Amino acid sequence: MVGIIDTEKQYHEALHLVERLLDAHPDSKEGKELRLLLLVIEKYEDEHFSIDSPNPIEAIKIRMEDLGLKNKDLVKSIGDKGTVSKVLNYKTSLSLKMIRNLSKQLSIPADVLIKESTPAV
């Protein structure tokens, strides 16, 4: 039986139940129970294990590293080399145009890039 998860013990029990139900046919009683169980688990995880979106500039730097890009590769999305440097060093904020361009070029969701950028301490 699926119910609200209030404790970590219940959470782990729910995860074990998911493992048992994974092969259930979607239209079966077990399949419906699995779908409901996954929703309850997701709610618990959102409340207890939430992960904030990364700092926009850090997200850009991580994505650049993933793609093997250098600062010069962002010129078409941000502007000249000086502006790229200023953005990556928190001296200039991202404009809406930059956000659109970077989102497309780096496949970073715009909502991540819109957040306020402050250097990590």
Side-chain angles (χ1 to χ4, degrees):
M1 183 70 176
V2 177
I4 294 175
I5 300 173
D6 293 314
T7 66
E8 191 169 342
K9 181 181 182 216
Q10 291 172 330
Y11 170 71
H12 288 289
E13 289 171 354
L15 291 177
H16 288 296
L17 184 54
V18 165
E19 289 176 16
R20 287 196 353 243
L21 297 174
L22 272 178
D23 293 329
H25 187 275
D27 293 329
S28 70
K29 178 182 173 189
E30 291 82 12
K32 291 176 183 179
E33 183 177 0
L34 175 62
R35 288 197 314 269
L36 182 59
L37 186 58
L38 290 172
L39 288 172
V40 173
I41 289 171
E42 181 180 19
K43 181 176 178 355
Y44 181 86
E45 289 175 343
D46 287 346
E47 291 174 0
H48 294 84
F49 307 117
S50 67
I51 299 173
D52 291 332
S53 295
N55 172 308
I57 302 306
E58 294 306 312
I60 291 168
K61 290 177 180 179
I62 290 167
R63 193 68 179 134
M64 287 173 65
E65 187 177 315
D66 291 346
L67 299 173
L69 300 177
K70 304 285 183 207
N71 290 11
K72 66 179 181 171
D73 298 315
L74 298 185
V75 168
K76 67 181 180 183
S77 291
I78 293 179
D80 59 58
K81 291 188 316 184
T83 305
V84 171
S85 179
K86 287 178 185 175
V87 166
L88 295 179
N89 288 299
Y90 299 91
K91 307 248 188 266
T92 298
S93 297
L94 292 169
S95 69
L96 184 56
K97 183 177 180 181
M98 290 176 195
I99 290 169
R100 286 180 181 140
N101 292 339
L102 289 167
S103 179
K104 188 180 292 185
Q105 180 184 2
L106 302 176
S107 298
I108 298 174
D111 62 326
V112 170
L113 297 173
I114 289 172
K115 286 181 61 181
E116 189 170 337
S117 303
T118 53
V121 282

